[in-house]
Amino acid sequence: MAASCCGVKKQKLNNSMPSICCNGSAVHPNTFKNGYSVACRDMCYFCFDVLHSYLHNYDPPRNPAFTNDAYPLFVTWKIGSNRRLRGCIGTFSATNLHSGLREYAVTSAMKDSRFSPITKDEFSKLYVSVSILTNFEDAKDFEDWEVGTHGIRIEFLNEKGHKKTATYLPEVAIEQGWNIEQTIDSLLRKGGFRGTITNEVRRNLRLTRYRSEKIMVAYGDYVGSKQNGHA
């Protein structure tokens, strides 16, 4: 199930921000298989290929050469010299990388409800990041994680007693300059909590922390890879 990863547009922490509901949950690998790094630049090049084919109604690219093992993953698109967020969606379900990146390269670019779909004219200004998630752990409380090291996923009950979830990838709190409490409060708002955020609200949420292996590639690097024989 799809989840949005972040609200990297500058937020006012007392205001809500629309987002795609983060409610994905499934089996999580606790370590990378055999201890090796998984994320690679070819994954980002593949995302560019997929989005380019989609925007121009071309046949989709053939399957890539990198591993097709299953991991939770997110694809993030940013744009311009200030790298403004243009879309970020992924899944906490362990998903085969070839099909997962095909799906979320397009979904994050075209169907993030916080943004209009990415256009052909924007394509040459894009950056894409692939995040592979691992090391999922249940936290003791809302403070049991480290800014800049862990991504976090929270589950909580809103004012009407409905279960809600939301997540931020590890880089979000650092990019925003938030401490632990500010990040939690922002994530509650992102997940749809509209009431007053108190220490009791924070203590009652369930937090899962995780780590992310992230690779980012700019459009210029993508073009260079094509010129150097990347297919």
Side-chain angles (χ1 to χ4, degrees), residues 154-187:
I154 61 171
E155 299 179 9
F156 61 94
L157 298 179
N158 67 7
E159 311 88 287
K160 297 181 180 180
H162 298 153
K163 181 179 176 180
K164 298 289 185 179
T165 62
T167 191
Y168 278 148
L169 294 176
E171 61 267 23
V172 173
I174 289 290
E175 289 174 350
Q176 296 292 324
W178 292 337
N179 60 26
I180 284 178
E181 185 173 298
Q182 289 173 320
T183 306
I184 293 295
D185 290 359
S186 172
L187 197 47

Side-chain angles (χ1 to χ4, degrees), residues 5-176:
C5 69
C6 45
V8 190
K9 294 187 295 184
K10 290 292 183 180
Q11 270 187 59
K12 294 181 179 179
L13 295 183
N14 292 326
N15 290 344
S16 62
M17 187 189 72
S19 67
I20 296 171
C21 178
C22 170
N23 55 5
S25 180
V27 177
H28 307 306
N30 286 324
T31 57
F32 291 126
K33 296 177 182 178
N34 300 322
Y36 64 82
S37 296
V38 176
C40 63
R41 292 173 70 86
D42 282 351
M43 294 179 182
C44 295
Y45 298 149
F46 182 62
C47 289
F48 267 114
D49 282 343
V50 170
L51 182 58
H52 184 266
S53 297
Y54 179 88
L55 289 172
H56 293 273
N57 295 314
Y58 296 156
D59 291 338
R62 66 176 183 266
N63 283 338
F66 55 75
T67 178
N68 194 31
D69 289 343
Y71 293 92
L73 61 92
F74 278 78
V75 176
T76 303
W77 294 99
K78 295 186 178 183
I79 192 168
S81 58
N82 63 347
R83 300 186 187 182
R84 175 173 56 89
L85 182 66
R86 280 297 276 117
C88 180
I89 299 179
T91 179
F92 282 92
S93 299
T95 303
N96 291 105
L97 290 173
H98 293 180
S99 60
L101 292 174
R102 282 186 190 277
E103 176 179 356
Y104 291 106
V106 173
T107 302
S108 60
M110 310 304 291
K111 297 182 180 180
D112 189 328
S113 63
R114 297 169 294 176
F115 306 99
S116 60
I118 288 174
T119 66
K120 294 177 184 178
D121 291 341
E122 293 178 301
F123 189 76
S124 63
K125 304 172 186 176
L126 293 174
Y127 298 78
V128 67
S129 299
V130 171
S131 298
I132 307 295
L133 312 185
T134 189
N135 291 93
F136 287 80
E137 301 172 308
D138 291 331
K140 298 175 183 177
D141 54 42
F142 77 91
E143 296 180 302
D144 185 25
W145 63 283
E146 184 176 337
V147 171
T149 298
H150 297 109
I152 57 173
R153 180 177 184 267
I154 61 171
E155 299 179 9
F156 61 94
L157 298 179
N158 67 7
E159 311 88 287
K160 297 181 180 180
H162 298 153
K163 181 179 176 180
K164 298 289 185 179
T165 62
T167 191
Y168 278 148
L169 294 176
E171 61 267 23
V172 173
I174 289 290
E175 289 174 350
Q176 296 292 324

Side-chain angles (χ1 to χ4, degrees), residues 194-212:
R194 302 292 181 255
T196 301
I197 298 175
T198 64
N199 275 331
E200 182 179 4
V201 170
R202 299 183 189 104
R203 285 194 300 267
N204 286 336
L205 62 81
R206 177 185 175 187
L207 188 145
T208 301
R209 66 190 187 193
Y210 59 89
R211 301 201 182 210
S212 170

